[in-house]
């Protein structure tokens, strides 16, 4: 009976030690990636006007893609849809 308990505890212990090692490795790799990640300065982002931020690049393609997705979900044709407004949230 004691051999069974020993084997069970060794298995559980091995799993927990392995999981702790994986967590430590992931934390170290995350720190390294965070240090090497080059992000643009916030000042450059703040200079963008609100109008430029709200503009949707290639608006016609975006509306066509959204229209197709809505028509597919509703099970109807795109020509039967009428889009009244389109805003970027």
């Amino acid at each position: 009976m004691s051999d069974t308990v020993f084997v069970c505890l060794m298995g559980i212990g091995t799993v927990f030690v392995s999981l702790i090692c994986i967590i430590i490795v992931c934390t170290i790799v995350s720190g390294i990636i965070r240090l090497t990640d080059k992000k643009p300065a916030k000042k450059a982002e703040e200079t963008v006007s609100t109008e430029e931020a709200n503009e949707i690049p290639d608006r016609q393609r975006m509306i066509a893609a959204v229209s197709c997705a809505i028509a597919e979900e509703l099970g109807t044709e795109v020509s039967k849809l009428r889009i009244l407004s389109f805003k970027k949230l």
Side-chain angles (χ1 to χ4, degrees):
M1 184 71 173
S2 66
D3 290 338
T4 307
V5 173
F6 177 74
V7 170
C8 185
L9 290 177
M10 285 298 291
I12 292 171
T14 303
V15 169
F16 281 115
V17 169
S18 301
L19 290 174
I20 290 170
C21 290
I22 290 172
I23 290 171
I24 291 170
V25 168
C26 287
T27 304
I28 291 171
V29 170
S30 173
I32 292 171
I33 290 173
R34 195 175 305 128
L35 289 175
T36 59
D37 191 20
K38 306 278 186 199
K39 293 185 179 178
K42 288 186 178 182
K43 291 180 182 178
E45 291 176 5
E46 292 173 0
T47 58
V48 176
S49 70
T50 56
E51 291 177 5
E52 292 175 0
N54 289 333
E55 287 184 19
I56 301 171
D58 208 0
R59 188 176 181 88
Q60 294 296 326
R61 286 180 128 181
M62 176 69 78
I63 293 173
V66 171
S67 301
C68 289
I70 293 172
E72 182 69 28
E73 186 67 28
L74 295 175
T76 185
E77 296 178 17
V78 177
S79 60
K80 293 183 180 180
L81 295 178
R82 184 181 351 165
I83 297 179
L84 301 176
S85 67
F86 191 82
K87 294 185 217 177
K88 182 179 179 182
L89 298 178

